[in-house]
Amino acid sequence: TSGGGYGDPSQKIDYVFKVVLIGDSAVGKSQILARYARDEFSLDSKATIGVEFQTRTLVIDHKSVKAQIWDTAGQERYRAVTSAYYRGAVGAMLVYDITRRQTFDHIPRWLEELRAHADKNIVIILIGNKSDLVDQRAIPTEDAKEFAEKEGLFFLETSAFNATNVESAFSTVLTEIFNIVNKKSLAASEDQENGNPGSLAGKKIDIVPGPGQVIPNKSNMCCNS
Amino acid sequence: MSLVSGARDMGFDDNNNNKNNKDGDDENSSSRTRADDDALSRQMSESSLCATEEEEDDDSKLQLGPQYTIKEHLEKDKDDESLRKWKEQLLGSVDVTNIGETLDPEVRIDSLAIISPGRPDIVLLVPENGNPKGMWFTLKEGSKYNLKFTFHVNNNIVSGLRYTNTVWKTGVKVDRAKEMLGTFSPQLEPYNHVMPEETTPSGMFARGSYSARTKFLDDDNKCYLEINYSFDIRKEWPAL
């Protein structure tokens, strides 16, 4: 995978990117996340600070990037996914179920909300999950592709069940975020001869964790045996 | 074309408890069924909400899960420590020791501000009855501006709060805009939401006075505020 796999937790992290999963319930958001993150840090992130995210560290262009991926934990069923969920997100995966028309019809509503709450340069990928259920398909690939093009979104069909495209979905989003941030970083270093990524705070892409986004230093409690 | 006449009933709509006697306790049924029931009861209730004309409504078929009070939210999985903390995060600064048992959120729009570069902000307070008298404000043609809303949310989460704006000129509808503000938990401090930048029209046909109707609605099409007002667009900003 693209520099993928698990980072050494003691290594220096150059960037932390918050990515949110959204979409109707039962489209497979948690399964997609489980496929990707494989519990790198879930043991403590959930139980101790009550934040439903998982992380995976990867290397892009010799920089180490920690993807912090937030899941709704089913709260969308109860209309409880508030502005706090989106705060600080620089990437989003907008998921529907290719076998249920309604989950696709709701995508514009999720997209509106995402755009209302998140950074305007957020990188978004539309994901049609359950692509393994070929016989039950209700949404033609072309329809989703057309919608994604119209809205300027990346698009992939995935199967969390058999792992198809899950890696590429995340790496598409993370690489794009990285490119945006890195471009800004280069611009900043031309300005001030010092491309310290920390100095990006307050730029268009905000990589500083928001208030809801506590990132405790876990390297001493984990997990890499 | 229905022009804004004074005939309509407007203003706050909050005690319109038309929905939500439904399914508070069915979390075990399938979400599909619940959503369908919900859509049905919502359709029945919509008609009684904002008293208005043919709104667009591509949104009315949106099917969401049931609404719960904050108290119900927190009690639902109270034995799951992790989930409980997660909900507290989503709820933000809700005072969990003094939590709401009211189902209907209360959304109070405090002010609308027009922010245009190089100009002092035009802050428009919403009158008690929702209907500003006379020309509410004047804009210069061809100016860039952002709208900023300041509002309070109380009692419960408001889901999918959005703003719609319809503008008429000499009786002809010239513009209709719709923009999502989002989903907000109740909190003491006001929320500020800045809308994307827009530009006022320009040219001799653009100048003159307009009437407009602004509404704030949620996912259930419940209307929290409707304002009917007039404004004009001129060659220059008014003198300060």
Side-chain angles (χ1 to χ4, degrees), chain B residues 172-183:
Chain B
V172 178
K173 189 181 290 183
V174 292
D175 189 41
R176 178 141 68 183
K178 189 182 78 167
E179 194 78 39
M180 175 72 87
L181 280 71
T183 298

Side-chain angles (χ1 to χ4, degrees), chain A residues 82-110:
Chain A
T82 64
S83 53
Y85 182 68
Y86 299 92
R87 194 173 302 138
V90 292
M93 315 192 91
L94 195 52
V95 188
Y96 67 95
D97 171 350
I98 66 155
T99 70
R100 283 191 295 145
R101 160 65 56 180
Q102 185 194 320
T103 66
F104 181 69
D105 291 344
H106 283 182
I107 288 291
R109 158 66 178 73
W110 287 111

Side-chain angles (χ1 to χ4, degrees), chain A residues 108-123:
Chain A
R109 158 66 178 73
W110 287 111
L111 183 59
E112 274 186 296
E113 174 144 32
L114 175 64
R115 288 187 165 143
H117 285 310
D119 185 283
K120 70 176 177 187
N121 288 332
I122 189 167
V123 175

Side-chain angles (χ1 to χ4, degrees), chain A residues 15 17 60-61 63 65 174-182:
Chain A
Y15 297 103
F17 295 153
I60 307 176
D61 264 11
K63 299 279 188 191
V65 169
L174 295 167
T175 307
E176 180 69 10
I177 299 168
F178 178 85
N179 288 339
I180 292 173
V181 171
N182 209 36

Side-chain angles (χ1 to χ4, degrees), chain B residues 180-219:
Chain B
M180 175 72 87
L181 280 71
T183 298
F184 300 90
S185 58
Q187 65 175 30
L188 286 174
E189 307 76 47
Y191 286 98
N192 286 301
H193 192 92
V194 178
M195 308 291 279
E197 187 178 84
E198 295 175 79
T199 305
T200 53
S202 58
M204 59 184 287
F205 294 111
R207 294 191 291 270
S209 54
Y210 292 80
S211 56
R213 175 184 303 129
T214 292
K215 287 196 277 187
F216 291 87
L217 305 154
D218 69 9
D219 273 334

Side-chain angles (χ1 to χ4, degrees), chain A residues 79, chain B residues 10-16 18-20 49-50 67 103-110 126-130 151-163 182 184 214-227:
Chain A
R79 309 171 174 213
Chain B
M10 295 159 247
F12 290 94
D13 210 350
D14 30 48
N15 294 322
N16 218 338
N18 37 43
K19 54 183 189 302
N20 306 318
L49 297 178
C50 272
Q67 220 175 356
L103 196 55
D104 284 327
E106 178 188 283
V107 178
R108 196 177 73 232
I109 313 297
D110 302 309
V126 178
E128 204 67 35
N129 68 1
F151 59 96
H152 277 89
V153 177
N154 295 313
N155 298 340
N156 201 355
I157 296 167
V158 59
S159 167
L161 184 65
R162 66 187 194 277
Y163 147 93
F184 300 90
T214 292
K215 287 196 277 187
F216 291 87
L217 305 154
D218 69 9
D219 273 334
D220 295 317
N221 280 332
K222 182 178 173 187
C223 182
Y224 294 98
L225 176 66
E226 175 174 323
I227 329 173

Side-chain angles (χ1 to χ4, degrees), chain B residues 57-100:
Chain B
D57 261 340
D58 39 335
D59 297 301
S60 53
K61 57 182 185 291
L62 182 66
Q63 297 172 352
L64 288 168
Q67 220 175 356
Y68 289 97
T69 67
I70 298 288
K71 189 171 185 202
E72 287 165 340
H73 273 296
L74 293 172
E75 280 180 351
K76 203 139 32 79
D77 307 278
K78 64 180 172 200
D79 298 331
D80 183 333
E81 175 79 355
S82 153
L83 205 45
R84 190 180 57 74
K85 284 182 173 164
W86 169 233
K87 289 178 185 179
E88 288 175 13
Q89 291 256 344
L90 285 179
L91 291 171
S93 54
V94 169
D95 177 2
V96 290
T97 58
N98 181 23
I99 50 176

Side-chain angles (χ1 to χ4, degrees), chain A residues 75 85 108 162 165 199 207-208 222:
Chain A
Q75 296 309 301
Y85 182 68
N162 64 27
N165 276 345
S199 69
I207 56 168
V208 175
C222 224

